[in-house]
Structures are given as C-alpha cells and as structure tokens.
Amino acid sequence: MSGNERHVSVDRKMLKTLGYTNVTHLTSHELGHEHLGRNTPDLLIVGSSLTDGSGHDFIRASRKMFPETVVPSVMVTLCNRKNDVLEAIGAGCAGYVLRPYSMDTISRHISVALDSFRINPLDNEQLTMARELVSAACFDEAISEFAELVPHENEADRYFSMGTRALMEGKFGKAIIAFNKALALNALYAEAYRGMADAYKGKGDMEKYGEYLKSAADIFAQQNRHQEVKDLFIEILRLDPNAVNPYNKVGMRLRKDGDYQSALQMYFQAQELSPDDENLCFNIAKAYMYLEDFESSCRYLRESLKINPEFEQAGTLLTKLQRKKG
C-alpha cells in the first residue's frame, strides 16, 4: 500500500521475485479497509504515505476495525527518525524497512514479520484439545490442559522488556520483533484464560469462573480487542456489579507509566462500557492534567461531579485547577 507509484513498482517487482504472485495495490485508507473487510491477506506492505493519510494511521485503524483479522504489517519507508519508528511500533507494525532496500533485507524482515505473529503449533494444538475437552464436559482434564499454557505468563512481559531495552539502544528492528512476540503470547494466554473460565463454569465453580473471565478481559483490553472485552465484561458484571472495567485498569497502568495519551485511549474505550462511572471521568481528568490540558481536565471533573456530587477528590482537584487557570 502506497500513494507513490514509483515505490509501488519497486515493491511489486520485489514481491514477485520472492514468489508472491497474488499482490493487490491499494492507495488509500478507504480502499485498504474495503479490501480487508472482504479478504485476509498474509501480509501488508505499507508505505509511510497514502493518498488520504499516513501508513501508521492506516495500520492502527485497521487493527481497531478488524480485531479478529491480525495481518502482519511491514512499513517500507524513507523515514529513519526514531519518532517514526516509535509511531510504527505504536501502530502495531511487525517490521520496518528503509528505502532503498536490498532483496536480502526485505526478505528477512518479511520472514520475521510473519513468524512474529505465529504461536508454537504445539500450543495451538493444546488449545484446541482443551476446548474440545470443555465441549465434552471433561472439565478437570480441560483445566489441566489450559493451565499448562499459562504458567509462564511473564514470558510476554519479558519480551516487552526486551523491546523497551532495544528501543533505548536504537535497535528498532529487534524492538519491533520483541513487541510483536509479546502480543502473540498474550493472545494465547487470553484464549487459555477464557477457556479455563468456561471449564470452571462447567464444574459449577462460579468464583473461579469470574476470576479467569477477568484475566482474559484484562489481556483482551491490552490488545484493544473491543468486542471480546465487551462480551466478557457484560458477563463479569452479572457476577460482580462492582467489577473494575478492564480498559480502566489498563489505562491506570499506562498513566502510572507516564504514557498519558495511550491511557486516554483506554479510558475512552472504557467509557463505552461504563458511561456513568465517576471514577473513570476522574481518571480521564487526571490524564489530561498531566498533559497540561487543564480545560479538558476541568470538563471531566465537572462530569464526574455531575454523576456523583459528593465525590470529594474530584471537587478538590477541580478547585485546585480552577485556581491554577485563574
């Protein structure tokens, strides 16, 4: 995908040389999203600029529009600034290649991009087997199979840490590989937790059922898989009306890490599920405050107080910010 005809010509020749014969050239967000709505390509080669926006924004929007269709994306671009690489990582790119590239370089990046989204085939087989055991009402056996898939959940955190370290060292390709490996592992863990919840429900253990539903929802929220979060959160609320919104939990963690813009994105997702939560409005206000957007912060504090006029923390912070503005 690119708005540059010369780049498209080069990329077509490259893909043909590498054995990719079914290649579709698209120039805009609109055409790309129409195509993804009807097809599931093996790979997206995306330039930095399309006719109606950036390549980063296209990849980010595609992941939100088609959360069930995870297609590896490789950015092929002239941009070599660190901020451009960070944008690519934030959008969910699986590779980043600078023009002009050699055949060996692009081939290696495509291979790594495809591999970074794949889970060990044995893990996938075990996941399928465990689901079949749930269907057959063999709940204890299913729980045992699911449990084997998630004893080392910190593996995803380890890859995330590797990615962060690689970023600091300027090893951008390594960072992208590590971040996508973390995403792939988290997808496996989320499915395993959801399956384990179903198995405990079959056994009649509703406490464990709710516990593992929350674990699955938290991971799905991290991956911005909105429909899964919505479905699970509705069920979680049936069990616990006071349950914390999964997106709110992710937002609080991001805010604590200083990533206020990403925290706001999570909070706004949370609002779709919990529109009348005064604590959520308060969290949004705090994120805006740290971004020094005091006007937006005050607006959400007023919204919080509108929902709960006795919310003392919101009232205190609003008074403080109004004095600061004045």
Side-chain angles (χ1 to χ4, degrees):
M1 294 190 60
S2 176
N4 185 309
E5 290 293 338
R6 185 170 60 84
H7 289 168
V8 169
S9 177
V10 170
D11 295 343
R12 273 186 178 278
K13 291 177 182 177
M14 172 273 297
L15 290 167
K16 185 176 180 181
T17 302
L18 292 176
Y20 293 90
T21 56
N22 185 13
V23 178
T24 301
H25 168 218
L26 302 165
T27 59
S28 68
H29 286 214
E30 182 180 359
L31 292 173
H33 292 148
E34 285 179 4
H35 184 75
L36 287 175
R38 299 190 303 266
N39 306 276
T40 305
D42 295 323
L43 179 73
L44 292 173
I45 302 291
V46 184
S48 54
S49 298
L50 304 177
T51 58
D52 56 354
S54 73
H56 303 127
D57 289 341
F58 169 76
I59 295 169
R60 186 178 287 108
S62 298
R63 285 187 162 232
K64 289 185 178 180
M65 291 175 68
F66 308 103
E68 297 290 343
T69 308
V70 180
V71 180
S73 304
V74 175
M75 289 286 299
V76 185
T77 176
L78 293 167
C79 304
N80 63 353
R81 296 171 302 179
K82 182 177 179 179
N83 283 345
D84 295 314
V85 180
L86 290 171
E87 277 287 320
I89 292 172
C93 288
Y96 196 87
V97 180
L98 293 176
R99 298 183 189 275
Y101 53 76
S102 69
M103 194 62 65
D104 285 344
T105 297
I106 191 72
S107 177
R108 184 172 67 254
H109 278 264
I110 287 175
S111 177
V112 168
L114 292 170
D115 287 344
S116 68
F117 278 80
R118 293 181 182 135
I119 293 295
N120 186 320
L122 292 177
D123 288 339
N124 274 331
E125 186 176 334
Q126 190 169 8
L127 191 61
T128 300
M129 183 187 305
R131 286 170 174 157
E132 290 173 352
L133 287 168
V134 172
S135 298
C138 299
F139 301 121
D140 288 327
E141 293 90 335
I143 289 168
S144 179
E145 293 291 330
F146 283 126
E148 285 186 14
L149 291 169
V150 291
H152 305 297
E153 187 180 337
N154 60 359
E155 273 293 283
D157 291 336
R158 185 172 71 85
Y159 277 106
F160 186 83
S161 296
M162 286 172 56
T164 303
R165 189 163 58 250
L167 263 184
M168 294 174 63
E169 295 170 355
K171 299 175 181 176
F172 302 128
K174 183 177 179 181
I176 288 174
I177 292 167
F179 283 130
N180 281 287
K181 185 65 176 177
L183 285 173
L185 286 170
N186 267 334
L188 173 72
Y189 300 145
E191 294 297 343
Y193 280 134
R194 182 157 60 178
M196 202 175 296
D198 289 338
Y200 275 113
K201 183 179 182 181
K203 283 171 62 71
D205 189 336
M206 301 308 287
E207 182 177 350
K208 287 287 187 183
Y209 172 57
E211 176 186 332
Y212 285 109
L213 277 184
K214 290 177 183 177
S215 295
D218 288 347
I219 295 175
F220 282 135
Q222 292 175 39
Q223 297 183 300
N224 225 352
R225 292 172 62 175
H226 191 61
Q227 189 58 49
E228 287 95 335
V229 177
K230 183 177 179 180
D231 293 343
L232 290 175
F233 190 52
I234 289 170
E235 184 61 24
I236 289 167
L237 287 176
R238 290 195 182 106
L239 299 169
D240 178 8
N242 298 314
V244 177
N245 188 305
Y247 284 121
N248 197 13
K249 291 173 69 174
V250 177
M252 287 188 289
R253 186 161 63 246
L254 288 166
R255 195 187 75 204
K256 184 178 179 182
D257 291 340
D259 189 352
Y260 305 123
Q261 289 288 2
S262 296
L264 282 172
Q265 290 179 17
M266 289 294 111
Y267 290 146
F268 293 143
Q269 293 276 44
Q271 274 200 311
E272 293 185 30
L273 304 182
S274 307
D276 299 320
D277 187 336
E278 69 272 23
N279 291 295
L280 182 52
C281 290
F282 182 73
N283 286 337
I284 294 173
K286 289 186 72 175
Y288 273 125
M289 181 185 70
Y290 292 130
L291 288 168
E292 298 187 357
D293 183 348
F294 301 122
E295 185 175 342
S296 295
S297 182
C298 289
R299 184 171 75 251
Y300 277 95
L301 287 170
R302 293 189 191 98
E303 187 64 30
S304 179
L305 289 166
K306 182 178 177 182
I307 297 169
N308 179 7
E310 297 181 3
F311 192 172
E312 186 176 341
Q313 277 184 291
T316 300
L317 185 56
L318 179 60
T319 300
K320 178 181 176 181
L321 291 181
Q322 286 174 331
R323 286 175 181 165
K324 190 179 185 73
K325 286 173 63 181

